[in-house]
Amino acid sequence: MALLPNNSSNQVTEFLMICLPGMQDVQHWLSVPLTPLLVLALGANIVLLLTIHQEASLHEPMYYLLAILSLLDIILCLTVIPKVLLLFWFNMKPISFTGCFLQMFIMNTFLPMESSTLVAMAYDRYVAVCQPLHYPSIITEQFVIKAAIFIIFRNLLVTLPTPILAARLDYCAGNIIENCLCANISVVRLSCEDNHLNKLYQFVSVWCLLGPDLVLTFFSYCFILKAVLKLRSVAAATKALSTCGSHFILILFFYTLLVVLVIANVARKQIPLDVPILLNVLHHLIPPAINPIVYGVRTQEIKHGILKLLKINK
């Protein structure tokens, strides 16, 4: 993907990032909670991936989907958080033209991929609870492969135009990004060209991806709850809810943060600029840190696999 600037004598070659405009004096203190969260997110997801890879009992579609989610979390963390910490620690504001739009591309593409993976996991839980006899024939390794291919191409084709449209603009109105990351809206406002098409496309593409994902996930759990309420056995109902509990917590964290971030951006005039910026950073860090912990604590098979992995390393 060639994201090259237009030929212009005034075209910028790099951007300067002013991470939190209203908190410049204290922003370095934010690295205190962010650094251990990054270590936790990367460490926990790597351990989870190693556990799924080495433990034969976890070589099942449900855990393969969880591995895909962990891989996406690692990529998003490494794309955003290290640059934020460099800003906080060493005030390293410059980011290259190509690097900025590469970051924009990864954020715009991999975040919806994570949402799509949650939908596939919701469908997995729906089949497990509502059609348990057909589960082995429906949720197979081939299902995971097809789901992964669909997730990649669906999100790639829809989100790719956003950074391309942004990179083709003429940036001669300034090069200071008032954000911790190369968010599309923060970058394109620096262009001296009309950027309404870029903003409109991102708005439509994001809601065309995340909107259906949220609806499908919601209906999956409605059907699951309906099926659980029909169970006469309390033990069976408890077991069914337990199998879905971990995934529901992940969805709750992911979409709650996303909704709060959207509300903060919509109400920008009533909310300080630093709030949505900080929420955006946390959305790339808190779910990746929480996801493997929730599954590790609530899923016995994963917990045993992690303990076994740690004993092997000892």
Side-chain angles (χ1 to χ4, degrees):
M1 178 181 62
L3 295 177
L4 299 176
N6 294 330
N7 293 325
S8 172
S9 58
N10 296 323
Q11 178 71 47
V12 300
T13 58
E14 66 176 17
F15 295 102
L16 298 178
M17 305 183 78
I18 307 297
C19 193
L20 298 169
M23 302 174 62
Q24 290 291 294
D25 296 334
V26 298
Q27 67 178 15
H28 59 279
W29 290 108
L30 291 174
S31 65
V32 175
L34 291 183
T35 302
L37 274 175
L38 175 62
V39 173
L40 175 63
L42 294 178
N45 280 289
I46 289 172
V47 168
L48 184 59
L49 287 172
L50 289 175
T51 301
I52 294 173
H53 174 71
Q54 294 192 11
E55 186 61 37
S57 63
L58 299 179
H59 292 176
E60 297 180 4
M62 171 185 171
Y63 302 110
Y64 290 148
L65 291 171
L66 182 57
I68 294 173
L69 186 66
S70 289
L71 186 60
L72 292 173
D73 281 339
I74 290 173
I75 293 172
L76 284 169
C77 269
L78 291 177
T79 301
V80 174
I81 306 303
K83 177 59 179 176
V84 174
L85 291 177
L86 288 174
L87 277 164
F88 289 167
W89 289 337
F90 308 111
N91 203 30
M92 294 180 62
K93 299 177 182 179
I95 183 170
S96 68
F97 190 92
T98 303
C100 184
F101 290 103
L102 179 61
Q103 187 189 72
M104 184 189 297
F105 164 72
I106 293 174
M107 290 188 301
N108 285 349
T109 304
F110 282 73
L111 196 61
M113 281 186 187
E114 193 163 335
S115 175
S116 300
T117 304
L118 290 174
V119 174
M121 294 172 71
Y123 179 69
D124 169 87
R125 294 300 84 201
Y126 162 76
V127 176
V129 174
C130 300
Q131 303 181 43
L133 298 179
H134 299 286
Y135 182 85
S137 61
I138 296 176
I139 308 298
T140 62
E141 291 187 4
Q142 287 73 23
F143 166 79
V144 176
I145 294 172
K146 291 177 181 178
I149 293 173
F150 174 77
I151 288 170
I152 291 172
F153 282 97
R154 173 209 185 212
N155 292 284
L156 184 64
L157 291 175
V158 175
T159 59
L160 184 59
T162 297
I164 291 180
L165 288 171
R168 291 176 63 85
L169 294 173
D170 190 13
Y171 290 89
C172 56
N175 69 332
I176 297 178
I177 301 174
E178 293 186 342
N179 206 326
C180 294
L181 36 84
C182 288
N184 179 57
I185 295 177
S186 298
V187 175
V188 298
R189 66 163 55 109
L190 301 177
S191 172
C192 49
E193 294 185 51
D194 183 12
N195 55 42
H196 286 90
L197 175 61
N198 181 274
K199 291 181 179 179
L200 177 63
Y201 184 85
Q202 185 187 32
F203 177 81
V204 173
S205 63
V206 166
W207 285 110
C208 284
L209 291 173
L210 298 182
D213 287 352
L214 183 57
V215 171
L216 289 172
T217 303
F218 173 76
F219 278 109
S220 294
Y221 275 90
C222 285
F223 287 128
I224 289 172
L225 182 60
K226 181 179 178 181
V228 169
L229 292 176
K230 289 182 178 180
L231 295 175
R232 296 181 179 180
S233 170
V234 176
T238 302
K239 182 178 179 181
L241 289 175
S242 178
T243 62
C244 303
S246 301
H247 184 231
F248 182 75
I249 292 173
L250 303 190
I251 293 172
L252 192 63
F253 271 101
F254 181 85
Y255 284 110
T256 299
L257 270 174
L258 192 61
V259 170
V260 171
L261 177 59
V262 170
I263 294 173
N265 276 288
V266 171
R268 186 172 295 175
K269 293 182 179 179
Q270 290 77 32
I271 298 176
L273 177 62
D274 294 334
V275 173
I277 292 175
L278 188 57
L279 285 173
N280 204 352
V281 172
L282 292 176
H283 191 260
H284 288 82
L285 188 57
I286 291 181
I290 294 296
N291 293 352
I293 295 176
V294 170
Y295 260 96
V297 170
R298 293 184 58 87
T299 307
Q300 291 297 321
E301 293 82 1
I302 293 179
K303 186 188 295 185
H304 293 156
I306 291 174
L307 293 174
K308 186 176 178 180
L309 176 69
L310 294 177
K311 288 180 181 178
I312 291 174
N313 288 337
K314 291 179 180 179

